[in-house]
């Protein structure tokens, strides 16, 4: 390891452990303030995307109608996120000259929702699609109505795939909310772009570490939520076989539903 | 308030004129963007083939390897860009940080794809190849790998389209590629909107993603002639 690298790591530790960088002042928003802003932007986008795409994905999977919507949503992924973000900011921001940051917040949220919808939609669809016809027929045979089959049989069975779609949406939203700092919005990305502009590299690298830590923490939290909401009958974790990795559990579920 | 010249040149549709006016610069960025999208996928595939084979050959390696690659894929691109130089002891803004970060992402994505693709080769096929006299190495390259090509192709398509989008992110920290067009457009729009470079960047990125995706599909078709003979 080059000595220059060790020096930078020491500077980064110094920057991160400086209490002045954590507290907000009237002139400067600290780490806690930017973390709050970052989480807030992401939550807004994820809630909107979930409300739009989860019912839609379940409905498409249940009825088999309008599957072209899934194709369209997936094609959106080919768009360069930064470009769409800058384009929307340039279009929308001039209408909001004033004291609020709505001119930057609204285009950012549009881009974040656009990013979060495809993985949630296509995984909800695939999750319901993958439920074995035998299970679905059995539910209908027991006298369940269409909505009952969807909510009590297909949804619980699709939950592992829905979670993996939501987790990948969350990660993309956190990553892209960072880039929103480039168009002068707050959030943890501020430290990266401010550090870059001021050639304050410890600040820039600290920003990168904070963003990575936030992404890992969010993914861990969702993995835990998945563990406690997905039925143990589906993950094959019934009783003794505890402690398997959630990703493996998802894969097992995919395989199980294919072979069942 | 009619300003024909102004409104014509800042119109989103003027992007082609903008391209003609800044041809050499834009073509340079297109070239940078192309190699930054392609080389990491090639490196990723070269690393993922042996790693995926290991994960399949020794089953106990599979879970920890998937955890590590999943963890890597969790780290946002812009964070990975700025974290690589201090970890490797390079300058804070070294142009190599972008291809290194993208190679890591591509490897992480493709290891899983290669392992799952090899796992999908049926046991009967492997036994038949062994009975025909294939040794493990020859069987891997002439039987197992070719059968896994369609699955690996699907992974390559995802990786290369994702790379085109992520490379543009590196433009926001000053790396030369089509992302610089967004930077230019943002800077030029301070007083009033100036769309041409932004629209040009989006158009070129989407075209590049489509062309690279098509190339992967074509190469895959060339490598699997039997799929056209016997529709699956």
């Amino acid at each position: 390891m080059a000595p220059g690298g060790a020096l930078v790591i020491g500077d980064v530790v110094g920057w991160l452990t400086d209490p002045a960088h954590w507290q907000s002042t009237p002139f400067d928003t600290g780490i806690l303030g930017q973390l709050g802003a970052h989480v807030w932007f992401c939550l807004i986008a994820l809630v909107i995307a979930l409300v739009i795409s989860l019912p839609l994905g379940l409905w498409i999977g249940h009825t088999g109608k309008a599957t072209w919507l899934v194709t369209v949503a997936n094609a959106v992924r080919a768009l360069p996120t930064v470009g769409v973000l800058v384009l929307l900011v340039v279009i929308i921001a001039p209408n909001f000259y004033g004291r609020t940051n709505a001119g930057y917040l609204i285009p950012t949220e549009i881009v974040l929702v656009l990013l979060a919808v495809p993985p949630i939609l296509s995984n909800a669809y695939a999750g319901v699609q993958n439920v074995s016809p035998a299970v679905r027929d059995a539910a209908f045979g027991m006298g369940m109505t269409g909505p009952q089959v969807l909510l009590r049989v297909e949804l619980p069975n699709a939950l592992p795939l829905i979670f993996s779609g939501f987790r990948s949406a969350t990660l993309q939203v956190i990553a892209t909310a960072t880039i929103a700092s480039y168009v002068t919005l707050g959030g943890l990305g501020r430290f990266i772009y401010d550090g870059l502009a001021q050639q304050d590299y410890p600040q820039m690298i600290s920003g990168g570490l904070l963003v990575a830590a936030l992404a890992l923490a969010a993914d861990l939290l969702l993995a835990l939520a998945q563990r406690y909401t997905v039925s143990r009958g589906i993950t094959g974790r019934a009783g003794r076989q505890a402690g398997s990795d959630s990703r493996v559990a998802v894969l097992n579920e995919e395989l199980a539903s294919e072979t069942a | 308030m009619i300003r024909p010249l102004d409104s014509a040149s800042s119109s989103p549709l003027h992007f082609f004129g903008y391209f003609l006016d800044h041809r050499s610069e834009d073509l340079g960025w297109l070239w940078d963007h192309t190699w930054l999208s392609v080389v990491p996928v090639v490196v990723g595939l070269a690393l993922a083939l042996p790693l995926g084979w290991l994960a399949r050959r020794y089953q106990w390696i599979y879970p920890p390897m998937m955890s590590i690659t999943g963890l890597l894929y969790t780290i946002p691109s812009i964070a990975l860009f700025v974290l690589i130089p201090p970890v490797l002891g390079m300058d804070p803004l070294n142009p190599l940080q972008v291809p290194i970060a993208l190679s890591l992402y591509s490897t992480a994505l493709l290891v899983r794809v290669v392992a799952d693709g090899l796992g999908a080769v049926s046991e009967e096929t492997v036994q038949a190849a062994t009975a025909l006299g294939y040794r493990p190495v020859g069987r891997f390259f002439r039987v197992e790998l070719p059968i896994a090509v369609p699955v690996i192709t699907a992974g390559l398509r995802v990786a290369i389209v994702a790379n085109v989008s992520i490379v543009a992110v590196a433009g926001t920290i000053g790396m030369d590629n089509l992302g610089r067009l967004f930077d230019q457009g943002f800077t030029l729009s301070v007083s009033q909107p100036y769309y041409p470079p932004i629209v040009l960047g989006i158009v070129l990125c989407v075209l590049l993603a489509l062309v690279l995706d098509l190339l992967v599909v074509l190469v895959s078709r060339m490598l699997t002639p039997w799929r056209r003979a016997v529709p699956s």
Side-chain angles (χ1 to χ4, degrees):
Chain A
M1 186 96 14
L7 200 70
V8 171
I9 290 171
D11 292 342
V12 170
V13 173
W15 195 92
L16 279 175
T17 48
D18 184 344
H21 291 144
W22 286 82
Q23 300 297 330
S24 297
T25 66
F27 312 101
D28 236 350
T29 311
I31 293 173
L32 292 177
Q34 299 292 26
L35 175 68
H38 203 116
V39 171
W40 180 233
F41 299 152
C42 295
L43 278 180
I44 297 175
L46 285 169
V47 167
I48 296 176
L50 200 62
V51 168
I52 295 174
S53 49
L54 185 59
L56 197 59
L58 292 175
W59 178 77
I60 296 174
H62 181 71
T63 60
K65 287 178 193 159
T67 47
W68 55 270
L69 269 173
V70 180
T71 319
V72 170
N74 281 324
V76 170
R77 297 195 208 195
L79 286 172
T81 322
V82 201
V84 180
L85 181 64
V86 170
L87 182 66
L88 287 178
V89 165
V90 169
I91 292 174
I92 295 175
N95 301 314
F96 283 94
Y97 273 133
R99 279 180 293 276
T100 68
N101 65 354
Y104 299 104
L105 185 60
I106 292 172
T108 305
E109 293 297 343
I110 295 176
V111 171
L112 295 183
V113 170
L114 266 180
L115 268 176
V117 163
I120 303 176
L121 181 73
S122 56
N123 275 39
Y125 161 73
V128 174
Q129 273 274 298
N130 278 353
V131 175
S132 89
V135 172
R136 197 176 292 136
D137 288 349
F140 276 115
M142 286 170 67
M144 285 188 172
T145 60
Q148 280 178 329
V149 172
L150 180 61
L151 291 179
R152 297 198 202 160
V153 178
E154 289 172 331
L155 179 63
N157 274 290
L159 215 47
L161 270 182
I162 292 174
F163 257 107
S164 79
F166 187 70
R167 281 167 75 172
S168 106
T170 304
L171 292 178
Q172 287 183 48
V173 164
I174 290 175
T176 307
T178 317
I179 304 166
S181 300
Y182 166 73
V183 291
T184 64
L185 204 63
L188 291 175
R190 272 272 52 86
F191 300 115
I192 296 180
Y193 289 105
D194 288 350
L196 179 73
Q198 299 157 12
Q199 300 200 333
D200 178 359
Y201 295 122
Q203 180 185 353
M204 180 178 87
I205 295 161
S206 301
L209 271 178
L210 290 166
V211 171
L214 175 63
L216 292 174
D219 198 46
L220 194 68
L221 211 63
L222 286 173
L224 282 175
Q226 178 172 4
R227 214 189 144 102
Y228 286 104
T229 49
V230 174
S231 158
R232 281 193 280 176
I234 290 169
T235 55
R237 253 189 321 115
R240 58 202 163 75
Q241 205 194 342
S244 81
D245 180 40
S246 58
R247 286 190 170 83
V248 177
V250 171
L251 189 72
N252 285 341
E253 154 64 12
E254 287 172 44
L255 292 174
S257 60
E258 273 163 28
T259 51
Chain B
M1 280 272 290
I2 301 169
R3 290 175 302 177
L5 198 71
D6 240 356
S7 62
S9 61
S10 72
S11 142
L13 295 174
H14 182 63
F15 71 87
F16 192 68
Y18 186 90
F19 173 70
L20 291 180
D21 291 346
H22 307 81
R23 233 182 352 257
S24 63
E25 189 180 45
D26 296 345
L27 284 175
W29 288 340
L30 179 62
W31 168 245
D32 290 326
H33 208 108
T34 307
W35 81 261
L36 281 171
S37 308
V38 173
V39 171
V41 175
V42 175
V43 173
L45 184 63
L47 291 173
L49 282 177
L51 289 174
W53 178 82
L54 273 179
R56 195 39 68 180
R57 176 72 182 76
Y58 304 99
Q59 292 286 329
W60 60 270
I61 298 182
Y62 186 84
M65 198 178 269
M66 293 310 124
S67 300
I68 293 169
T69 54
L71 200 70
L72 203 62
Y73 223 71
T74 307
I75 300 172
S77 55
I78 186 85
L80 197 58
F81 289 152
V82 301
L83 288 178
I84 280 178
V87 170
L88 296 181
M90 308 189 308
D91 292 332
L93 287 176
N94 187 314
L96 276 180
Q97 75 202 62
V98 176
I100 292 175
L102 289 167
S103 300
L104 284 174
Y105 278 135
S106 302
T107 311
L109 183 94
L110 292 172
V111 164
R112 174 176 214 129
V113 169
V114 169
D116 292 350
L118 292 176
V121 179
S122 76
E123 191 55 35
E124 290 86 349
T125 311
V126 177
Q127 285 174 359
T130 312
L132 280 169
Y134 279 107
R135 309 296 298 254
V137 175
R139 193 182 64 206
F140 176 76
F141 282 106
R142 297 208 213 139
V143 179
E144 293 168 62
L145 194 56
I147 292 177
V149 162
V151 177
I152 297 175
T153 302
L156 285 175
R157 293 178 68 181
V158 173
I160 211 150
V161 172
N163 272 5
V164 173
S165 186
I166 299 173
V167 169
V169 172
T172 65
I173 55 169
M175 300 293 166
D176 279 342
N177 58 61
L178 291 176
R180 291 293 298 279
L181 284 166
F182 306 135
D183 195 54
Q184 273 188 346
F186 190 53
T187 316
L188 290 173
S189 298
V190 169
S191 55
Q192 56 173 339
Y194 186 69
Y195 299 111
I198 307 173
V199 175
L200 176 65
I202 294 176
V203 168
L204 287 179
C205 279
V206 170
L207 282 179
L208 182 61
L210 286 176
V211 168
L212 293 178
D213 186 47
L214 196 68
L215 274 177
V216 174
V217 173
L218 284 178
V219 171
S220 158
R221 277 178 68 103
M222 276 164 53
L223 289 175
T224 54
W226 60 88
R227 274 165 69 84
R228 273 163 288 155
V230 186
S232 52

